Amino acid sequence: MSILVNKDTKVIVQGFTGKEGSFHAEQCLAYGTKIMGGVTPGKGGQEHLGLPVFNTVRDAVLATGATVSMIFVPPAFVSDAVMEAADAGITMAVIITEGAPVKDMMYAKAYATKKDMMTIGPNCPGIITADECKIGIMPGFIFKKGNIGLISKSGTLTYESANQVVKEGFGITTAVGIGGDPIIGLSYKQLLPMFEADPETKAIVMIGEIGGDLEIQAAAYIKEHITKPVVAFIAGQTAPEGKRMGHAGAIISGGAGTAAEKMAALTAAGVTVVVSPADIGKAVAQVMKNL
Amino acid sequence: MNIHEYQAKELFAKYNVPTLRGHIAFTAEEAVKAAQELGGSIWVVKAQIHAGGRGLGGGVKLARSTGEVREVAQQIIGMNLVTHQTGPEGKLVQKVYVEEGADIQKEYYLGILLDRAREMPIMMASTEGGMAIEDVAHNSPEKIIKVEIDPITGFQGFHGRKLAFGLGLPKEDVNTFVKFASALYNVYMDNDAEMIEINPLVKTGDGRFLALDAKMGFDNNALYRQEHVHEMRDLSEEEPTEVEAGKFDLSYIKLDGNVGCMVNGAGLAMGTMDTINYEGGKPANFLDVGGSANATTVAKGFEIILKDPNVKAIFVNIFGGIVRCDRVANGIIEATKLTNVNVPVIVRLDGTNAIEAAEILRNAGIKNIIAATDLADGAKKAVAAAKGE
Ligand SMILES: Nc1ncnc2c1ncn2[C@@H]1O[C@H](COP(=O)(O)OP(=O)(O)O)[C@@H](O)[C@H]1O
Ligand SMILES: [Mg+2]
């Protein structure tokens, strides 16, 4: 078991023939992901990586039965691509692109929601179910199969935590990089219940950062609904106010969105909060021992 | 990206958001000319820096004659203005905005920003004009009226009425206010703004509503399609090393510690700072070198970090995923040839080909490179090295 994606998930790639799209589609294929083909307007009918290229997402869905789209188009075209996927009946779009305007995502997400399409990202490493399906840009080999669910706003911290979890002798069910933008798709609050319901997941790691209040919402949700142990780390305890720390959404403004307030809320919700990210693996080992 | 008050007011004017007339001046002489050109008998001379709270810091002054305009302009231009938003180091004032004086009857607050939880803009108004909105939110949240504006409907009359009546405006002012708020929403949406703050929005003795102050920030990701906004960028308001780093696609932020950090990925970069702090040190900077971490970017990273004379050691923390650690190791060695690194460099490379990378670093025999096995080990060694241990 796992959440959202598995070995049967059929995936298409928007921005398939571009440099990034090609490179990562190939890596995903090598991992075993069922990449069915891709979309590049104007290149319909061609073949790329031995797979069909379509002009529209609709064509790709009809021909391949794909339900998930991995999006690599440049920032200026992301909202168009997301809305096209939603219109074509895709059920989940994984948006890897970094740098999409906030206003565009505001419209794209509202439309996706209306069309019942889930979104992950943008500005994220994607989603991976260990040994089954990798949809994104993460190095697959780090994610050994196991019983830990992982949700993270940051790409490299996802790898860092997965690596620590594996070094402690555990592994990952599914890891979801939710992205570091001000407006993102699936977040902790939607993913936590999925991990709670997944029989294979025994504990959950959540990696947050400064900015916004998604972690606070997560804390409230965990307190009420999550029975599995949760280990959390919030990046940016040493970040100054008013500065954007790399991610568009990672900013403390008007004294709100600090790591301290998020850590306090999570601690109050019974989450094991580590102060140093170097302790994530050890904390997971501890909660697993106490099960 | 942020802009100055005078620039925001120029943008307001294009959308018929009412402001007073004013001119920018770089010298006291120009300030006097500006006042003469504006006419009247009362002016306000306002320091133009990217920070609020200028009034309290002595950066906004009233003048009742052109002689006084000269006097206050002389005081303000060249001053180091310290406000609650500049930090204790303050900001050098290079220009002033000379504006007509307003006959203020009442001060309000009006602002727009993205509500990340609701995923749409919200407009906020308050009768507590002139006060920092964070303080109002903290001390008397009931005095802030908020409306969320779904971009699908856009700004409707009811949004404006809810705010106007909420502020307790007399009914003859409601329509004027609604028009004002509606125009402001257009400024926000059309220009990909991230936030607009008018503090204060004033009602004048003759019954007009005016934006007396104007603060605006924009979505950096949308600047490619907002050329007129991009042109308003004032590099002199930004930290020079941050600007320099930006030219090389490096995301750098200067902090006040002495352990330099070079990391791939924003999350891990913040996490590295936090680990240094946890181990008893203080990070000197945030630096995300991005996905490539090759010799050129690493060399540039070293150069930028070492511009800060406080830096006593550098912690290079790279988690190699798609980018292979052996390549990064070669990049680091190459970088030390491209630029002179005269402090201990603690290197932690993990992920793809980490073992080969360690081998490469060891064989290179560069004496100020210290290998670390993991995040905690690297942070500990970097903190110790910065302390001269
Ligand atoms: N044109 C003006 N006429 C009269 N008073 C003004 C004018 N501009 C500013 N002020 C007064 O100065 C105060 C501070 O100016 P403001 O532009 O809000 O700067 P800051 O918020 O940085 O202190 C305002 O609250 C207002 O009372
Ligand atoms: Mg003000």
Side-chain angles (χ1 to χ4, degrees):
Chain A
M1 285 291 288
S2 56
I3 67 164
L4 291 166
V5 299
N6 58 35
K7 61 182 188 335
D8 301 318
T9 306
K10 290 181 178 170
V11 183
I12 53 155
V13 184
Q14 286 174 264
F16 189 37
T17 56
K19 187 168 160 265
E20 294 281 301
S22 294
F23 177 79
H24 290 290
E26 207 165 5
Q27 300 269 322
C28 292
L29 277 166
Y31 193 79
T33 308
K34 284 211 168 102
I35 305 275
M36 310 302 292
V39 179
T40 298
K43 293 196 176 170
Q46 296 183 13
E47 218 179 67
H48 184 63
L49 309 178
L51 295 167
V53 182
F54 301 92
N55 283 323
T56 67
V57 179
R58 188 77 194 142
D59 289 347
V61 166
L62 287 175
T64 68
T67 56
V68 174
S69 176
M70 173 163 74
I71 299 182
F72 279 98
V73 305
F77 310 106
V78 166
S79 60
D80 181 7
V82 172
M83 292 193 265
E84 181 180 358
D87 175 68
I90 288 287
T91 59
M92 185 167 79
V94 181
I95 314 155
I96 307 299
T97 309
E98 176 177 356
V102 172
K103 187 167 79 176
D104 292 5
M105 288 318 301
M106 196 158 73
Y107 285 107
K109 190 174 173 197
Y111 183 69
T113 308
K114 200 170 180 174
K115 288 283 185 180
D116 281 327
M117 182 180 79
M118 294 181 284
T119 52
I120 293 179
N123 189 10
C124 79
I127 175 170
I128 183 167
T129 289
D131 292 349
E132 294 192 36
C133 176
K134 161 177 131 97
I135 304 173
I137 59 175
M138 63 290 270
F141 76 94
I142 301 168
F143 300 85
K144 299 266 151 36
K145 196 154 193 69
N147 303 101
I148 311 296
L150 180 51
I151 312 170
S152 170
K153 275 186 176 176
S154 144
T156 36
L157 273 179
T158 307
Y159 315 157
E160 176 70 41
S161 352
N163 195 47
Q164 286 183 31
V165 165
V166 169
K167 277 189 178 158
E168 291 290 334
F170 300 93
I172 301 295
T173 46
T174 301
V176 192
I178 61 176
D181 272 8
I183 292 183
I184 56 173
L186 294 179
S187 163
Y188 308 107
K189 211 175 138 180
Q190 291 86 44
L191 293 162
L192 285 163
M194 297 183 198
F195 279 125
E196 176 77 13
D198 172 34
E200 216 170 285
T201 300
K202 301 285 184 245
I204 304 159
V205 173
M206 74 174 255
I207 308 293
E209 63 190 26
I210 53 165
D213 73 343
L214 293 176
E215 294 85 352
I216 306 268
Q217 292 181 36
Y221 187 86
I222 289 168
K223 202 170 186 170
E224 293 296 319
H225 305 285
I226 302 295
T227 61
K228 294 178 180 176
V230 181
V231 169
F233 169 70
I234 305 294
Q237 297 157 43
T238 47
E241 156 130 30
K243 286 279 188 180
R244 209 172 291 278
M245 307 302 283
H247 289 156
I251 181 165
I252 303 169
S253 37
T258 63
E261 76 189 31
K262 296 181 184 198
M263 290 163 76
L266 287 163
T267 305
V271 171
T272 304
V273 179
V274 296
V275 180
S276 165
D279 292 337
I280 295 166
K282 274 179 251 160
V284 167
Q286 191 59 47
V287 301
M288 289 299 280
K289 209 175 102 193
N290 294 345
L291 272 184
Chain B
M1 192 198 112
N2 298 324
I3 59 173
H4 288 291
E5 173 196 4
Y6 79 94
Q7 295 167 318
K9 285 181 173 174
E10 276 169 24
L11 211 48
F12 283 9
K14 283 189 202 158
Y15 287 81
N16 297 320
V17 174
T19 56
L20 289 166
R21 293 189 308 129
H23 297 297
I24 196 78
F26 290 82
T27 62
E29 217 42 60
E30 284 177 21
V32 170
K33 268 208 205 101
Q36 283 163 344
E37 203 280 327
L38 291 170
S41 57
I42 206 167
W43 303 271
V44 177
V45 179
K46 311 180 76 176
Q48 297 297 292
I49 56 166
H50 285 184
R54 296 162 301 167
L56 288 175
V60 177
K61 292 219 160 98
L62 204 74
R64 293 179 188 279
S65 67
T66 49
E68 268 182 42
V69 168
R70 183 190 309 275
E71 212 173 288
V72 296
Q74 253 157 8
Q75 284 166 22
I76 296 173
I77 297 171
M79 87 184 279
N80 193 51
L81 184 52
V82 181
T83 81
H84 69 282
Q85 288 183 356
T86 60
E89 66 281 7
K91 259 184 174 167
L92 176 70
V93 181
Q94 292 168 315
K95 46 190 174 278
V96 291
Y97 190 51
V98 182
E99 189 175 60
E100 298 173 306
D103 164 23
I104 302 172
Q105 194 189 69
K106 170 102 187 84
E107 300 196 344
Y108 300 92
Y109 171 95
L110 187 65
I112 311 181
L113 51 82
L114 173 74
D115 185 320
R116 289 169 61 166
R118 293 185 179 81
E119 300 175 341
M120 55 182 74
I122 53 167
M123 195 178 274
M124 298 193 287
S126 167
T127 49
E128 307 303 286
M131 312 246 301
I133 196 69
E134 295 85 13
D135 295 342
V136 181
H138 187 259
N139 300 326
S140 40
E142 74 286 352
K143 288 190 175 148
I144 300 178
I145 309 137
K146 295 180 184 176
V147 290
E148 49 181 77
I149 306 164
D150 191 326
I152 305 293
T153 65
F155 190 92
Q156 296 294 318
F158 80 87
H159 292 120
R161 291 193 298 275
K162 197 168 157 191
L163 293 172
F165 288 114
L167 287 173
L169 297 184
K171 66 175 187 299
E172 60 273 19
D173 285 342
V174 169
N175 278 342
T176 319
F177 179 87
V178 172
K179 252 199 215 144
F180 188 110
S182 168
L184 195 67
Y185 177 78
N186 292 336
V187 177
Y188 184 87
M189 292 304 277
D190 284 4
N191 296 283
D192 280 294
E194 184 177 75
M195 69 96 180
I196 305 183
E197 204 170 57
I198 301 180
N199 193 13
L201 159 72
V202 300
K203 188 180 172 192
T204 59
D206 56 2
R208 289 182 298 156
F209 282 87
L210 294 172
L212 215 56
D213 191 4
K215 239 184 127 182
M216 280 189 86
F218 298 85
D219 176 4
N220 288 345
N221 288 346
L223 289 178
Y224 74 89
R225 64 185 176 200
Q226 302 290 359
E227 215 163 305
H228 65 290
V229 172
H230 203 177
E231 278 166 6
M232 290 193 272
R233 183 167 177 196
D234 182 353
L235 291 175
S236 71
E237 286 289 322
E238 299 175 29
E239 172 71 36
T241 7
E242 292 174 17
V243 176
E244 165 88 5
K247 286 184 197 149
F248 297 89
D249 275 331
L250 300 174
S251 172
Y252 171 90
I253 290 161
K254 192 178 172 314
L255 304 169
D256 53 11
N258 61 4
V259 184
C261 312
M262 182 166 3
V263 189
N264 65 332
L268 189 59
M270 279 188 275
T272 304
M273 287 159 40
D274 295 344
T275 315
I276 288 167
N277 182 58
Y278 180 77
E279 299 295 350
K282 273 194 111 186
N285 66 279
F286 166 94
L287 175 59
D288 173 9
V289 290
S292 55
N294 56 34
T296 347
T297 50
V298 172
K300 200 69 214 174
F302 280 138
E303 239 170 71
I304 283 163
I305 291 173
L306 289 169
K307 282 205 166 115
D308 176 356
N310 293 333
V311 172
K312 296 287 180 288
I314 298 175
F315 181 17
V316 179
N317 182 22
I318 305 284
F319 198 101
I322 301 299
V323 8
R324 290 170 10 211
C325 291
D326 52 329
R327 288 229 185 126
V328 178
N330 282 320
I332 293 169
I333 292 165
E334 196 62 28
T336 57
K337 290 175 192 153
L338 294 174
T339 178
N340 176 32
V341 184
N342 51 5
V343 298
V345 178
I346 291 76
V347 181
R348 180 263 180 149
L349 295 172
D350 210 335
T352 318
N353 293 3
I355 297 163
E356 291 84 337
E359 188 71 30
I360 291 169
L361 286 176
R362 208 169 320 119
N363 293 341
I366 303 171
K367 67 173 188 317
N368 63 335
I369 291 189
I370 303 163
T373 50
D374 59 24
L375 179 52
D377 182 49
K380 280 190 189 115
K381 284 177 173 158
V383 170
K387 286 180 180 158
E389 286 165 10

